[in-house]
Amino acid sequence: MGFQQTLYIAFGVIIVGISVFVAIGFAGKQQDSAVRDAVTQDCLRLAAEARIYYKKPAFMGGGQGSFDGVTLQDMGFTSESNENGSYAVKADADECVIIGTALDVPGSTVSVSVDANGGIQMEYAGWGAETK
């Protein structure tokens, strides 16, 4: 085999190696994005359930105009975690904050707060610079 053919083979191997490396990087970012979306969806569902708890009369197991005392079980979760993450609730009379921590992306959280008027705010922490 000539020098030129050996050079072509070496160049081809380098190009394929770089392509594989870049593809793995993209796949990892897509996985993080999917996990973030799943945890966000769980937190938003819990926020909607917290709002239902707020509106529901006390004799029906609700808060009767207060988020005080709401638990994950009141919002339909049977445990504090699922395949997407672990969740915690901090509530007072006028606001409920649901904090979701991703299991697959350590140190990454989603916080969703719902207030007495139904306003919702979301905050992301630890997901990287691209998260808004």
Side-chain angles (χ1 to χ4, degrees):
M1 197 182 299
F3 176 75
Q4 188 175 14
Q5 292 164 332
T6 305
L7 191 60
Y8 285 145
I9 291 171
F11 185 66
V13 168
I14 290 170
I15 295 295
V16 169
I18 290 171
S19 299
V20 168
F21 182 74
V22 169
I24 289 172
F26 281 132
K29 286 183 181 181
Q30 290 294 8
Q31 173 66 21
D32 289 355
S33 179
V35 170
R36 184 186 66 226
D37 291 346
V39 173
T40 300
Q41 186 63 34
D42 287 342
C43 287
L44 287 172
R45 193 189 102 210
L46 287 168
E49 293 293 330
R51 185 74 176 133
I52 291 169
Y53 175 88
Y54 178 87
K55 291 285 192 179
K56 193 183 292 185
F59 73 89
M60 294 178 68
Q64 193 161 337
S66 174
F67 291 111
D68 206 22
V70 68
T71 65
L72 288 171
Q73 288 73 27
D74 293 329
M75 294 184 270
F77 262 40
T78 56
S79 70
E80 294 182 353
S81 64
N82 63 14
E83 63 275 2
N84 301 322
S86 60
Y87 303 90
V89 177
K90 295 180 183 178
D92 59 25
D94 298 324
E95 183 181 44
C96 179
V97 180
I98 296 105
I99 302 164
T101 304
L103 296 178
D104 293 343
V105 186
S108 299
T109 62
V110 177
S111 296
V112 175
S113 63
V114 60
D115 62 25
N117 297 320
I120 292 179
Q121 293 183 1
M122 293 189 308
E123 292 182 19
Y124 295 97
W127 294 97
E130 76 284 351
T131 305
K132 300 279 184 213

